[in-house]
Amino acid sequence: MADLPVHTIVFEILTRVPAKDVGCSKSVCKQWYALLSTQDFVRIHCSRSLVSSNQRVLLIDDLTCSVRPITSKSNDYEPSSIVTFPFHHQNNDVSILSHLNGLLCVCFNHTYELLLWNPTTTAFKRLSTLDSHGFYINNLDAVGLNVDAHDDYKVLHIKRRSGVLGVYVYSREVDSWRNIPFITRQEYLSPHFNWSAGTFCGGTLYFTVCECWLGGTKKGDLF
C-alpha cells in the first residue's frame, strides 16, 4: 500500500485523536510540528472533539485538579483522571477565568496573577509583569481569550480602577502587553455593573455587562 500523504495523515487522522497524542506527534519531524501548530488544525481538531463521546469537564477542588468524561445519556460524571498542576499554588487558589481551544486563562486568588495554562501539555505562562500588567481583581475586571488571523493567541484584560477603564492585550506571539483604545458607556465603569468573561465566537470577542442589585440582576448589554 502506498504511503499516505502527510496532509492526509495530519488533517484526516490526527484531527481525530486525543490532544495528548497530537502533542506527542509534534516531535515526529519539523513538518508535522508546523502543520499540527496551525490554526486550521486546531480548529478542525476542536470541532471534531465536540462530539458527545469526547466531552470532558475540568474540576478544580482545593489542591487537586481532575478531568472527568461526561456520560451523554445521563450527564453523569465517569471516573476521573488526576491532572497535576505544573505550578505552585495555595489551597483553593486557582480560578478559571476564560478558555479557548483547550487553553485556559487562570488566576491565583491570593496574588491576583494571571496565567495561561494548557492542562493537556502542562505548559503554562505567567502573564504578570513588574509594571502591574497581568493582575486580575474579581468583580472589577474581565478577561477573554481570542486568536487573530495570524494564529496569535491573545488575552484581552479589561480593568476598572477608581472609575478609570484600562484595556490591555497580551500577545503570546510577542510575549508582551499593550494598551488599546476602548469605548464604552460611562456607567459601566461603576462596580454596580458586572462584566462576564469574554466569549470568542465567529472571530469576535463578546462580553456581557449586567447591572446588579441586592435583589438580583436588573439589566444587561452584550457587546
Side-chain angles (χ1 to χ4, degrees), residues 10-12 14-17 19 38-55 100-102 153:
V10 170
F11 288 95
E12 296 300 328
L14 294 181
T15 52
R16 293 177 167 85
V17 306
T38 62
Q39 183 60 23
D40 285 340
F41 177 86
V42 173
R43 182 169 54 252
I44 296 172
H45 186 272
C46 287
S47 67
R48 287 176 173 166
S49 298
L50 292 177
V51 296
S52 58
S53 60
N54 288 331
Q55 294 302 291
L100 179 64
N101 297 338
Y153 279 79

Side-chain angles (χ1 to χ4, degrees), residues 86 103 116-125:
L103 189 66
L116 284 177
W117 173 35
N118 187 328
T120 301
T121 65
T122 72
F124 71 96
K125 171 67 179 178

Side-chain angles (χ1 to χ4, degrees), residues 58-75:
L58 180 73
L59 300 176
I60 296 179
D61 181 18
D62 294 333
L63 291 173
T64 63
C65 179
S66 60
V67 175
R68 299 185 181 184
I70 301 176
T71 303
S72 58
K73 292 183 179 180
S74 62
N75 290 328

Side-chain angles (χ1 to χ4, degrees), residues 162-217:
S162 302
V164 177
L165 184 74
V167 182
Y168 304 88
V169 173
Y170 172 82
S171 165
R172 197 170 69 164
E173 180 74 22
V174 299
D175 188 24
S176 67
W177 290 92
R178 64 183 178 89
N179 177 252
I180 63 170
F182 190 87
I183 300 175
T184 188
R185 294 167 59 177
Q186 185 66 29
E187 62 186 285
Y188 289 165
L189 303 184
S190 167
H192 294 299
F193 285 84
N194 284 344
W195 294 55
S196 72
T199 300
F200 188 64
C201 181
T204 302
L205 188 60
Y206 295 92
F207 290 87
T208 301
V209 180
C210 296
E211 185 176 10
C212 297
W213 298 80
L214 293 177
T217 300

